[in-house]
Coordinates of all heavy atoms in Angstrom, one line a residue:
M1 N 2.8 65.8 -12.2 CA 1.6 65.1 -12.5 C 1.4 65.1 -14.0 O 1.6 66.1 -14.7 CB 0.4 65.9 -11.9 CG -0.9 65.5 -12.4 SD -2.4 66.4 -11.9 CE -1.9 67.5 -10.6
K2 N 1.1 63.9 -14.6 CA 0.9 63.8 -16.0 C -0.6 63.5 -16.3 O -1.2 62.7 -15.6 CB 1.8 62.7 -16.6 CG 3.3 63.0 -16.5 CD 4.1 61.9 -17.1 CE 5.6 62.3 -17.0 NZ 6.4 61.2 -17.6
K3 N -1.1 64.2 -17.3 CA -2.5 64.0 -17.7 C -2.6 63.6 -19.1 O -1.9 64.2 -19.9 CB -3.3 65.2 -17.4 CG -3.6 65.5 -15.9 CD -4.5 64.5 -15.3 CE -4.9 64.9 -13.9 NZ -5.8 63.9 -13.4
I4 N -3.4 62.7 -19.4 CA -3.7 62.3 -20.8 C -4.8 63.1 -21.4 O -5.9 63.2 -20.7 CB -3.9 60.8 -20.9 CG1 -2.7 60.0 -20.5 CG2 -4.3 60.4 -22.3 CD1 -2.9 58.5 -20.4
A5 N -4.6 63.6 -22.6 CA -5.7 64.4 -23.2 C -5.8 64.0 -24.7 O -4.8 63.5 -25.3 CB -5.4 65.9 -23.1
S6 N -6.9 64.2 -25.3 CA -7.1 64.0 -26.7 C -7.3 65.4 -27.3 O -7.9 66.3 -26.7 CB -8.2 63.1 -27.1 OG -9.4 63.6 -26.6
I7 N -6.8 65.6 -28.6 CA -7.0 66.8 -29.3 C -8.4 66.6 -30.0 O -8.5 65.9 -30.9 CB -5.9 67.1 -30.3 CG1 -4.6 67.2 -29.6 CG2 -6.2 68.4 -31.1 CD1 -3.4 67.3 -30.5
D8 N -9.4 67.4 -29.4 CA -10.7 67.3 -30.0 C -10.8 68.0 -31.3 O -11.4 67.4 -32.3 CB -11.7 67.9 -29.0 CG -13.1 67.8 -29.4 OD1 -13.6 66.6 -29.7 OD2 -13.8 68.8 -29.6
R9 N -10.2 69.2 -31.4 CA -10.3 69.9 -32.6 C -9.3 71.1 -32.5 O -8.9 71.5 -31.5 CB -11.7 70.4 -32.9 CG -12.3 71.4 -31.9 CD -13.7 71.7 -32.1 NE -14.3 72.6 -31.1 CZ -14.7 72.3 -29.9 NH1 -14.6 71.0 -29.5 NH2 -15.1 73.1 -29.0
F10 N -9.1 71.7 -33.7 CA -8.4 73.0 -33.7 C -9.3 74.1 -34.2 O -10.2 73.9 -35.1 CB -7.2 72.9 -34.7 CG -6.1 72.0 -34.3 CD1 -5.9 70.8 -34.9 CD2 -5.3 72.3 -33.3 CE1 -4.9 69.9 -34.5 CE2 -4.3 71.5 -32.9 CZ -4.1 70.3 -33.5
E11 N -9.3 75.2 -33.5 CA -10.0 76.4 -33.9 C -9.0 77.5 -34.1 O -8.6 78.1 -33.1 CB -11.1 76.7 -32.8 CG -12.1 75.7 -32.6 CD -13.1 76.0 -31.5 OE1 -12.9 77.0 -30.8 OE2 -14.1 75.2 -31.4
K12 N -8.7 77.8 -35.3 CA -7.6 78.8 -35.7 C -6.3 78.4 -34.9 O -5.8 77.4 -35.2 CB -8.1 80.2 -35.4 CG -9.3 80.6 -36.2 CD -9.6 82.1 -36.0 CE -10.8 82.4 -36.9 NZ -11.2 83.8 -36.8
D13 N -5.9 79.3 -34.0 CA -4.6 79.1 -33.3 C -4.8 78.4 -32.0 O -3.9 78.4 -31.2 CB -3.9 80.4 -33.2 CG -3.5 81.0 -34.5 OD1 -3.3 80.3 -35.5 OD2 -3.4 82.3 -34.5
V14 N -5.9 77.8 -31.8 CA -6.2 77.1 -30.5 C -6.5 75.7 -30.7 O -7.2 75.3 -31.6 CB -7.5 77.8 -29.8 CG1 -7.9 77.1 -28.6 CG2 -7.1 79.3 -29.5
A15 N -6.0 74.8 -29.8 CA -6.3 73.4 -29.7 C -7.3 73.2 -28.6 O -7.0 73.7 -27.5 CB -5.0 72.6 -29.5
V16 N -8.3 72.5 -28.9 CA -9.3 72.2 -27.9 C -9.0 70.8 -27.4 O -9.1 69.8 -28.2 CB -10.8 72.3 -28.4 CG1 -11.8 71.9 -27.3 CG2 -11.0 73.7 -28.9
L17 N -8.7 70.6 -26.1 CA -8.3 69.4 -25.5 C -9.3 68.8 -24.6 O -10.0 69.6 -23.9 CB -7.0 69.5 -24.7 CG -5.8 70.1 -25.5 CD1 -4.6 70.1 -24.5 CD2 -5.5 69.3 -26.7
L18 N -9.5 67.5 -24.6 CA -10.3 66.8 -23.6 C -9.4 65.9 -22.8 O -8.7 65.1 -23.3 CB -11.4 65.9 -24.4 CG -12.2 66.7 -25.4 CD1 -13.1 65.7 -26.2 CD2 -13.1 67.7 -24.7
F19 N -9.5 66.1 -21.5 CA -8.6 65.4 -20.6 C -9.4 64.2 -20.0 O -10.6 64.3 -19.7 CB -8.1 66.3 -19.4 CG -7.1 67.2 -19.8 CD1 -7.4 68.5 -20.3 CD2 -5.7 66.9 -19.6 CE1 -6.4 69.4 -20.7 CE2 -4.7 67.8 -20.0 CZ -5.1 69.0 -20.5
E20 N -8.7 63.1 -19.9 CA -9.3 61.9 -19.3 C -9.6 62.1 -17.8 O -8.8 62.7 -17.1 CB -8.3 60.7 -19.3 CG -8.2 60.1 -20.7 CD -7.3 58.8 -20.7 OE1 -6.8 58.4 -19.6 OE2 -7.2 58.2 -21.8
G21 N -10.9 61.8 -17.4 CA -11.3 62.0 -16.1 C -11.6 63.4 -15.6 O -11.8 63.6 -14.4
V22 N -11.7 64.3 -16.6 CA -11.9 65.7 -16.2 C -13.1 66.2 -17.2 O -12.9 66.0 -18.4 CB -10.7 66.6 -16.4 CG1 -11.0 68.0 -16.1 CG2 -9.5 66.1 -15.6
E23 N -14.1 66.8 -16.6 CA -15.2 67.3 -17.4 C -14.8 68.5 -18.2 O -14.0 69.3 -17.7 CB -16.4 67.5 -16.6 CG -17.3 66.3 -16.3 CD -18.6 66.7 -15.7 OE1 -19.3 67.6 -16.2 OE2 -19.0 66.0 -14.7
G24 N -15.4 68.7 -19.3 CA -15.2 69.9 -20.1 C -14.1 69.9 -21.0 O -13.3 68.9 -21.1
S25 N -13.9 70.9 -21.8 CA -12.9 71.0 -22.8 C -12.0 72.2 -22.4 O -12.4 73.2 -21.7 CB -13.4 71.2 -24.2 OG -14.2 72.4 -24.3
Y26 N -10.7 72.2 -22.8 CA -9.8 73.2 -22.4 C -9.0 73.7 -23.6 O -8.5 72.8 -24.4 CB -8.8 72.6 -21.3 CG -9.6 72.2 -20.1 CD1 -10.2 71.0 -20.0 CD2 -9.8 73.2 -19.1 CE1 -10.9 70.6 -18.9 CE2 -10.6 72.8 -18.0 CZ -11.1 71.6 -17.9 OH -11.9 71.2 -16.8
E27 N -8.9 75.0 -23.8 CA -8.2 75.5 -24.9 C -6.7 75.8 -24.6 O -6.4 76.3 -23.5 CB -8.8 76.8 -25.3 CG -10.2 76.7 -25.8 CD -10.9 78.0 -26.2 OE1 -10.3 79.1 -26.0 OE2 -12.0 77.9 -26.8
F28 N -5.8 75.4 -25.5 CA -4.4 75.6 -25.4 C -3.9 76.3 -26.7 O -4.4 75.9 -27.7 CB -3.7 74.2 -25.2 CG -3.6 73.7 -23.8 CD1 -4.8 73.3 -23.2 CD2 -2.4 73.6 -23.2 CE1 -4.7 72.7 -21.9 CE2 -2.4 73.1 -21.9 CZ -3.5 72.7 -21.3
P29 N -3.0 77.1 -26.6 CA -2.4 77.7 -27.8 C -1.8 76.6 -28.6 O -1.1 75.7 -28.1 CB -1.3 78.6 -27.3 CG -1.6 78.9 -25.9 CD -2.3 77.7 -25.4
R30 N -2.2 76.6 -29.9 CA -1.7 75.5 -30.8 C -0.2 75.5 -30.9 O 0.4 74.4 -31.0 CB -2.3 75.7 -32.2 CG -2.1 74.6 -33.1 CD -2.9 74.8 -34.4 NE -2.7 73.6 -35.2 CZ -3.5 73.4 -36.3 NH1 -4.5 74.2 -36.6 NH2 -3.3 72.3 -37.0
K31 N 0.4 76.7 -30.8 CA 1.9 76.8 -31.0 C 2.7 76.1 -29.9 O 3.9 75.8 -30.0 CB 2.3 78.2 -31.1 CG 2.1 79.1 -29.9 CD 2.5 80.5 -30.2 CE 2.2 81.4 -29.0 NZ 2.5 82.8 -29.2
I32 N 2.1 75.7 -28.7 CA 2.8 75.0 -27.7 C 2.7 73.5 -27.8 O 3.4 72.8 -27.1 CB 2.4 75.4 -26.2 CG1 1.0 74.9 -25.9 CG2 2.5 76.9 -26.0 CD1 0.6 75.1 -24.5
L33 N 1.9 73.0 -28.8 CA 1.9 71.6 -29.1 C 2.9 71.2 -30.1 O 3.3 72.1 -30.9 CB 0.5 71.2 -29.5 CG -0.7 71.5 -28.5 CD1 -2.0 71.1 -29.2 CD2 -0.5 70.7 -27.3
P34 N 3.3 70.0 -30.2 CA 4.2 69.6 -31.2 C 3.5 69.8 -32.6 O 2.3 69.6 -32.8 CB 4.4 68.1 -31.0 CG 4.1 67.9 -29.5 CD 3.1 68.9 -29.2
P35 N 4.3 70.3 -33.6 CA 3.7 70.7 -34.9 C 3.0 69.5 -35.6 O 2.1 69.8 -36.4 CB 4.9 71.3 -35.7 CG 6.1 70.8 -34.9 CD 5.7 70.6 -33.5
E36 N 3.4 68.3 -35.3 CA 2.9 67.2 -36.0 C 1.5 66.7 -35.4 O 0.9 65.7 -35.9 CB 3.9 66.0 -36.1 CG 4.2 65.4 -34.7 CD 5.4 66.1 -34.0 OE1 5.8 67.2 -34.4 OE2 5.9 65.5 -33.0
C37 N 1.0 67.3 -34.4 CA -0.2 66.9 -33.8 C -1.4 67.2 -34.7 O -1.5 68.1 -35.5 CB -0.5 67.7 -32.5 SG 0.5 67.2 -31.1
N38 N -2.4 66.2 -34.7 CA -3.6 66.3 -35.5 C -4.8 66.1 -34.6 O -4.7 65.6 -33.4 CB -3.6 65.2 -36.6 CG -2.5 65.5 -37.6 OD1 -2.5 66.5 -38.2 ND2 -1.6 64.5 -37.7
E39 N -6.0 66.4 -35.1 CA -7.2 66.2 -34.4 C -7.3 64.6 -34.1 O -7.0 63.8 -35.0 CB -8.4 66.6 -35.2 CG -8.5 68.1 -35.3 CD -9.7 68.6 -36.1 OE1 -10.4 67.8 -36.7 OE2 -9.8 69.8 -36.2
G40 N -7.7 64.3 -32.9 CA -7.8 62.9 -32.5 C -6.6 62.3 -31.9 O -6.6 61.2 -31.3
D41 N -5.4 63.0 -32.0 CA -4.2 62.5 -31.4 C -4.3 62.5 -29.8 O -5.0 63.4 -29.2 CB -3.0 63.3 -31.8 CG -2.5 63.0 -33.2 OD1 -3.0 62.0 -33.7 OD2 -1.7 63.8 -33.7
I42 N -3.7 61.6 -29.2 CA -3.6 61.5 -27.7 C -2.2 62.1 -27.3 O -1.2 61.7 -27.9 CB -3.7 60.1 -27.3 CG1 -5.0 59.4 -27.8 CG2 -3.6 60.0 -25.7 CD1 -6.3 60.1 -27.3
I43 N -2.3 63.0 -26.4 CA -1.0 63.6 -25.9 C -0.9 63.5 -24.4 O -1.9 63.2 -23.7 CB -0.9 65.1 -26.3 CG1 -2.1 65.9 -25.7 CG2 -0.9 65.2 -27.8 CD1 -2.0 67.4 -25.9
I44 N 0.2 63.7 -23.9 CA 0.5 63.7 -22.4 C 0.9 65.1 -22.1 O 1.8 65.7 -22.7 CB 1.6 62.8 -22.0 CG1 1.2 61.3 -22.3 CG2 1.9 62.9 -20.5 CD1 2.3 60.3 -22.1
V45 N 0.1 65.7 -21.1 CA 0.4 67.0 -20.6 C 1.0 66.9 -19.2 O 0.3 66.3 -18.3 CB -0.8 67.9 -20.6 CG1 -0.5 69.3 -20.0 CG2 -1.4 68.0 -22.0
E46 N 2.2 67.4 -19.0 CA 2.8 67.3 -17.7 C 2.7 68.7 -17.0 O 3.0 69.7 -17.6 CB 4.3 66.9 -17.8 CG 4.9 66.7 -16.4 CD 6.3 66.1 -16.5 OE1 6.8 65.9 -17.6 OE2 6.8 65.8 -15.4
I47 N 2.2 68.6 -15.8 CA 2.1 69.8 -15.0 C 2.9 69.7 -13.7 O 2.8 68.7 -13.0 CB 0.6 70.1 -14.5 CG1 -0.3 70.1 -15.8 CG2 0.5 71.3 -13.7 CD1 -1.8 70.1 -15.5
A48 N 3.9 70.6 -13.5 CA 4.8 70.4 -12.4 C 5.0 71.8 -11.8 O 5.0 72.8 -12.5 CB 6.1 69.8 -12.9
L49 N 5.2 71.8 -10.5 CA 5.5 73.0 -9.8 C 7.0 73.3 -9.8 O 7.8 72.4 -9.5 CB 5.0 72.9 -8.3 CG 5.4 74.0 -7.4 CD1 4.7 75.3 -7.8 CD2 5.0 73.6 -6.0
K50 N 7.4 74.5 -10.2 CA 8.8 74.9 -10.2 C 9.0 75.7 -9.0 O 9.0 77.0 -9.0 CB 9.2 75.6 -11.5 CG 9.2 74.7 -12.7 CD 9.7 75.4 -13.9 CE 11.2 75.6 -13.7 NZ 11.9 76.2 -14.9
E51 N 9.1 75.1 -7.8 CA 9.2 75.8 -6.5 C 10.3 76.8 -6.5 O 10.1 77.9 -6.0 CB 9.3 74.8 -5.4 CG 9.0 75.3 -4.1 CD 8.9 74.3 -3.0 OE1 8.7 73.1 -3.3 OE2 9.1 74.7 -1.8
N52 N 11.5 76.4 -6.9 CA 12.6 77.4 -6.8 C 12.3 78.6 -7.7 O 12.6 79.7 -7.3 CB 13.9 76.7 -7.3 CG 14.4 75.7 -6.3 OD1 14.0 75.7 -5.1 ND2 15.2 74.8 -6.7
E53 N 11.8 78.4 -8.9 CA 11.5 79.5 -9.8 C 10.4 80.4 -9.2 O 10.4 81.6 -9.2 CB 11.0 79.0 -11.1 CG 10.8 80.1 -12.1 CD 12.1 80.9 -12.5 OE1 13.2 80.3 -12.4 OE2 12.0 82.0 -12.9
S54 N 9.4 79.8 -8.5 CA 8.3 80.5 -7.9 C 8.9 81.4 -6.8 O 8.5 82.6 -6.7 CB 7.3 79.6 -7.3 OG 6.6 78.8 -8.3
K55 N 9.7 80.9 -6.0 CA 10.4 81.6 -4.9 C 11.2 82.8 -5.4 O 11.2 83.9 -4.9 CB 11.2 80.7 -4.0 CG 10.4 79.8 -3.1 CD 11.3 78.9 -2.3 CE 10.4 77.9 -1.5 NZ 11.3 77.0 -0.7
K56 N 11.9 82.5 -6.5 CA 12.8 83.5 -7.1 C 12.0 84.7 -7.6 O 12.3 85.8 -7.4 CB 13.6 82.9 -8.2 CG 14.7 83.7 -8.8 CD 15.7 82.9 -9.6 CE 15.3 83.0 -11.0 NZ 16.3 82.3 -11.9
R57 N 10.9 84.4 -8.3 CA 10.0 85.4 -8.8 C 9.3 86.2 -7.7 O 9.1 87.4 -7.8 CB 9.0 84.9 -9.8 CG 9.7 84.4 -11.1 CD 8.7 83.9 -12.1 NE 9.4 83.4 -13.3 CZ 8.8 83.1 -14.4 NH1 7.6 83.3 -14.6 NH2 9.5 82.6 -15.4
L58 N 8.9 85.5 -6.7 CA 8.3 86.2 -5.6 C 9.3 87.2 -4.9 O 9.0 88.3 -4.7 CB 7.8 85.2 -4.5 CG 7.2 85.8 -3.2 CD1 6.0 86.7 -3.5 CD2 6.8 84.7 -2.3
K59 N 10.5 86.7 -4.7 CA 11.6 87.6 -4.1 C 11.8 88.8 -5.0 O 11.9 89.9 -4.5 CB 12.8 86.8 -3.9 CG 13.9 87.5 -3.2 CD 15.2 86.7 -3.0 CE 16.2 87.4 -2.3 NZ 17.4 86.6 -2.1
K60 N 11.9 88.6 -6.3 CA 12.1 89.7 -7.3 C 10.9 90.7 -7.2 O 11.2 91.9 -7.1 CB 12.2 89.1 -8.7 CG 12.6 90.2 -9.7 CD 12.7 89.5 -11.1 CE 13.1 90.5 -12.1 NZ 13.3 89.9 -13.4
S61 N 9.7 90.2 -7.1 CA 8.5 91.1 -7.0 C 8.6 91.9 -5.7 O 8.3 93.1 -5.7 CB 7.2 90.3 -7.1 OG 7.1 89.7 -8.3
L62 N 8.9 91.2 -4.6 CA 8.9 91.9 -3.3 C 10.0 92.9 -3.3 O 9.8 94.0 -2.7 CB 9.1 90.9 -2.2 CG 8.0 89.9 -1.9 CD1 8.4 88.9 -0.9 CD2 6.7 90.7 -1.5
N63 N 11.2 92.7 -3.9 CA 12.2 93.7 -4.0 C 11.8 94.9 -4.8 O 12.1 96.0 -4.4 CB 13.5 93.0 -4.6 CG 14.2 92.1 -3.6 OD1 14.1 92.3 -2.4 ND2 15.0 91.2 -4.1
L64 N 11.1 94.6 -5.9 CA 10.6 95.7 -6.7 C 9.6 96.6 -5.9 O 9.6 97.8 -5.9 CB 9.9 95.2 -8.0 CG 9.3 96.2 -8.9 CD1 10.3 97.2 -9.4 CD2 8.6 95.6 -10.1
I65 N 8.7 95.9 -5.2 CA 7.7 96.7 -4.4 C 8.4 97.5 -3.3 O 8.1 98.7 -3.1 CB 6.7 95.7 -3.7 CG1 5.8 95.1 -4.8 CG2 5.9 96.4 -2.6 CD1 5.0 93.9 -4.3
K66 N 9.4 96.9 -2.7 CA 10.2 97.6 -1.7 C 10.9 98.8 -2.3 O 10.9 99.9 -1.7 CB 11.2 96.7 -1.1 CG 12.0 97.2 0.1 CD 12.9 96.2 0.7 CE 13.7 96.8 1.9 NZ 14.5 95.8 2.5
R67 N 11.5 98.7 -3.5 CA 12.2 99.8 -4.1 C 11.2 100.9 -4.5 O 11.4 102.1 -4.3 CB 12.9 99.3 -5.4 CG 14.2 98.6 -5.1 CD 15.1 98.5 -6.3 NE 14.5 98.6 -7.6 CZ 14.4 97.6 -8.4 NH1 14.8 96.4 -8.1 NH2 13.8 97.7 -9.6
L68 N 10.0 100.5 -5.0 CA 9.0 101.5 -5.4 C 8.5 102.2 -4.2 O 8.2 103.4 -4.2 CB 7.9 100.8 -6.2 CG 8.3 100.3 -7.5 CD1 7.1 99.5 -8.1 CD2 8.6 101.5 -8.5
T69 N 8.3 101.5 -3.1 CA 7.7 102.1 -1.8 C 8.8 103.1 -1.3 O 8.4 104.2 -0.9 CB 7.4 101.0 -0.8 OG1 6.5 100.1 -1.4 CG2 6.9 101.6 0.5
N70 N 10.0 102.7 -1.3 CA 11.1 103.6 -0.8 C 11.2 104.8 -1.6 O 11.5 105.9 -1.2 CB 12.4 102.8 -0.7 CG 12.4 101.8 0.5 OD1 11.6 101.9 1.4 ND2 13.3 100.8 0.4
H71 N 11.1 104.6 -2.9 CA 11.2 105.7 -3.9 C 10.1 106.7 -3.7 O 10.3 107.9 -3.7 CB 11.2 105.2 -5.3 CG 11.2 106.3 -6.3 ND1 12.4 107.0 -6.6 CD2 10.3 106.8 -7.2 CE1 12.1 107.9 -7.5 NE2 10.9 107.8 -7.9
N72 N 8.9 106.3 -3.4 CA 7.7 107.1 -3.2 C 7.8 107.9 -1.8 O 7.2 108.9 -1.7 CB 6.4 106.4 -3.3 CG 6.1 106.0 -4.7 OD1 6.5 106.6 -5.6 ND2 5.3 104.9 -4.8
E73 N 8.6 107.4 -0.9 CA 8.7 108.0 0.4 C 9.6 109.2 0.4 O 9.6 110.0 1.2 CB 9.2 107.0 1.5 CG 8.1 106.0 1.8 CD 8.6 104.9 2.8 OE1 9.8 104.9 3.1 OE2 7.8 104.0 3.1
E74 N 10.5 109.3 -0.7 CA 11.5 110.4 -0.8 C 10.9 111.7 -1.2 O 9.9 111.8 -1.8 CB 12.6 110.0 -1.7 CG 13.4 108.8 -1.2 CD 14.4 108.3 -2.2 OE1 14.5 108.8 -3.3 OE2 15.1 107.3 -1.8

């Protein structure tokens, strides 16, 4: 999903974004935006699900829980 946003302003290390069709403003770390961005610029923010990565991290977490649980039973 791609969303269009405008950079409303910068507040120290934070960029305040306004998204088209969405109420309110949203803060993003300035360092994740391209360095040439300025107030008033229009940007595209892409939001995507990384299903394989999500499953991999869940499996890793479950394995850690299992190891910790087994360790505490000894």
Side-chain angles (χ1 to χ4, degrees):
M1 166 186 352
K2 292 182 181 180
K3 290 290 187 181
I4 296 175
S6 63
I7 301 173
D8 183 56
R9 63 187 178 279
F10 291 108
E11 296 178 354
K12 295 186 181 181
D13 294 333
V14 173
V16 179
L17 304 182
L18 304 174
F19 285 87
E20 285 186 359
V22 179
E23 274 193 48
S25 60
Y26 298 86
E27 296 180 352
F28 276 67
R30 189 174 186 165
K31 65 183 177 184
I32 68 171
L33 298 178
E36 64 273 13
C37 284
N38 294 301
E39 291 179 357
D41 282 348
I42 304 299
I43 61 172
I44 297 173
V45 177
E46 184 170 5
I47 303 167
L49 175 63
K50 289 187 74 173
E51 194 171 339
N52 289 340
E53 185 66 26
S54 297
K55 287 179 183 178
K56 190 166 92 176
R57 289 184 186 194
L58 175 61
K59 185 176 179 180
K60 185 177 179 179
S61 296
L62 292 174
N63 285 337
L64 177 59
I65 291 169
K66 186 176 180 179
R67 283 197 337 251
L68 291 172
T69 303
N70 289 340
H71 178 72
N72 287 335
E73 290 176 357
E74 295 174 0

